[in-house]
Amino acid sequence: NLALKHVRVNPANYNFFVPLKGVVSDTFNVDRKHRAMDIVAPSKSVIKSIQKGTVIFSSWTTGGGQTLIIQHPNDFLSVYKHNSSLTKNQGALVKSGEVIAISGNSGELTTGPHLHFELWYDGYPINPTTFIDFE
């Protein structure tokens, strides 16, 4: 399982929040170079931090639009792209489940309102479904 190839932690030891309730429109797939989950939800839905951490990036990117990145304890990093707005600035401390953004359709690499969500561990992209139940 590539998702756990570089992960030396037991997923059962972690309790991550679901960042957005919605319909999964695309899954983590290394062969297609899609290292994320895409979740479709109505525009202006709230997006929550999966775990406590520090916002290390909160700004516009051409491809990802309004993008937010959080550094979490234990070498985890979460990435949230295509938001309509961000509610946290770089350097902000966030709690588990705290609202960090509002969903949208920003950036060039989007096909409609959705959240492009990435989970990284120790510098490697991992399948978010290893830790989060999106159903």
Side-chain angles (χ1 to χ4, degrees):
N1 182 341
L2 183 65
L4 294 176
K5 183 175 181 183
H6 300 286
V7 178
R8 292 170 182 78
V9 295
N10 181 350
N13 293 339
Y14 294 88
N15 185 19
F16 291 124
F17 273 80
V18 177
L20 175 67
K21 298 283 187 184
V23 176
V24 173
S25 62
D26 201 358
T27 57
F28 184 92
N29 187 310
V30 173
D31 294 336
R32 290 188 293 109
K33 294 184 174 38
H34 190 257
R35 298 175 182 98
M37 297 290 293
D38 286 345
I39 305 158
V40 176
S43 218
K44 308 290 186 218
S45 297
V46 296
I47 295 173
K48 298 177 180 180
S49 176
I50 61 163
Q51 190 184 45
K52 70 179 182 180
T54 303
V55 176
I56 61 170
F57 184 85
S58 178
S59 192
W60 174 268
T61 66
T62 303
Q66 295 290 351
T67 300
L68 194 116
I69 303 174
I70 300 174
Q71 177 69 59
H72 303 285
N74 303 310
D75 297 318
F76 282 98
L77 192 81
S78 59
V79 181
Y80 311 79
K81 295 182 179 180
H82 306 306
N83 304 292
S84 64
S85 64
L86 306 174
T87 64
K88 299 296 177 185
N89 294 320
Q90 185 172 329
L93 299 177
V94 296
K95 298 175 185 168
S96 296
E98 188 171 350
V99 175
I100 55 170
I102 304 299
S103 69
N105 188 30
S106 64
E108 291 180 359
L109 302 177
T110 185
T111 56
H114 77 286
L115 170 65
H116 173 95
F117 173 75
E118 300 174 18
L119 185 61
W120 293 68
Y121 175 75
D122 197 23
Y124 294 94
I126 59 173
N127 188 338
T129 61
T130 305
F131 294 90
I132 300 169
D133 182 6
F134 289 90
E135 297 301 318

